[in-house]
Amino acid sequence: QVRLVESGGGLVQSGGSLRLSCAASGSIFRINTMGWYRQAPGKQRELVATVTNGGLTHYADSVKGRFTISRDNAKNTVYLQMNSLEPEDTAAYVCNCNANPSRLSVGFDYWGQGTQVTVSS
């Protein structure tokens, strides 16, 4: 099993910044893509950003130019630097990774518990 633990959420004013972290632990042979999703009350979960183990990134249009995703493969950790935050960014941010628990296994998707980000106007 792979466990994901997020940190770094909180309350910030509009225009402010936050940095989220997500560390993976457990039975890990290889972590493939890591990413962040978010879910606001009454809305469906949406992709925010992903990064492959080779460093290729992908962003939702709504966060391009404001958010930056990165990862430290040695620490099995993914980060999300969020700048110029807007009230519309308020949501629970959930970490995701696709990982192979062992050399012979296929990749599985794992999810964290989520960390709340609230942006006040």
Side-chain angles (χ1 to χ4, degrees), residues 1 3 6 11 28 30 36-37 39 41-43 56 61 69 76 79 81 86 90 97 104 114 116:
Q1 282 290 340
R3 182 178 179 223
E6 303 106 330
L11 173 64
I28 301 172
R30 180 178 62 240
W36 291 94
Y37 291 70
Q39 187 165 17
K43 295 186 177 181
L56 295 177
D61 288 342
I69 190 170
N76 290 334
Y79 306 96
Q81 177 66 43
E86 304 166 351
T90 296
C97 79
L104 298 178
Q116 180 67 33

Side-chain angles (χ1 to χ4, degrees), residues 11 15 59 65 73 111 114:
L11 173 64
Y59 295 93
N73 291 331
W111 296 90

Side-chain angles (χ1 to χ4, degrees), residues 14 32 114:
S14 181
N32 305 306

Side-chain angles (χ1 to χ4, degrees), residues 30-104:
R30 180 178 62 240
I31 297 179
N32 305 306
T33 300
M34 302 186 80
W36 291 94
Y37 291 70
R38 66 186 182 186
Q39 187 165 17
K43 295 186 177 181
Q44 289 189 331
R45 181 175 291 183
E46 62 175 359
L47 180 146
V48 177
T50 60
V51 57
T52 68
N53 54 12
L56 295 177
T57 58
H58 172 76
Y59 295 93
D61 288 342
S62 59
V63 306
K64 282 181 181 176
R66 300 187 298 122
F67 291 9
T68 302
I69 190 170
S70 60
R71 65 190 280 175
D72 184 333
N73 291 331
K75 296 181 179 180
N76 290 334
T77 300
V78 62
Y79 306 96
L80 186 68
Q81 177 66 43
M82 304 185 293
N83 299 328
S84 302
L85 283 161
E86 304 166 351
E88 293 73 22
D89 295 316
T90 296
Y93 284 69
V94 184
C95 178
N96 164 267
C97 79
N98 181 277
N100 300 73
S102 67
R103 183 176 65 87
L104 298 178

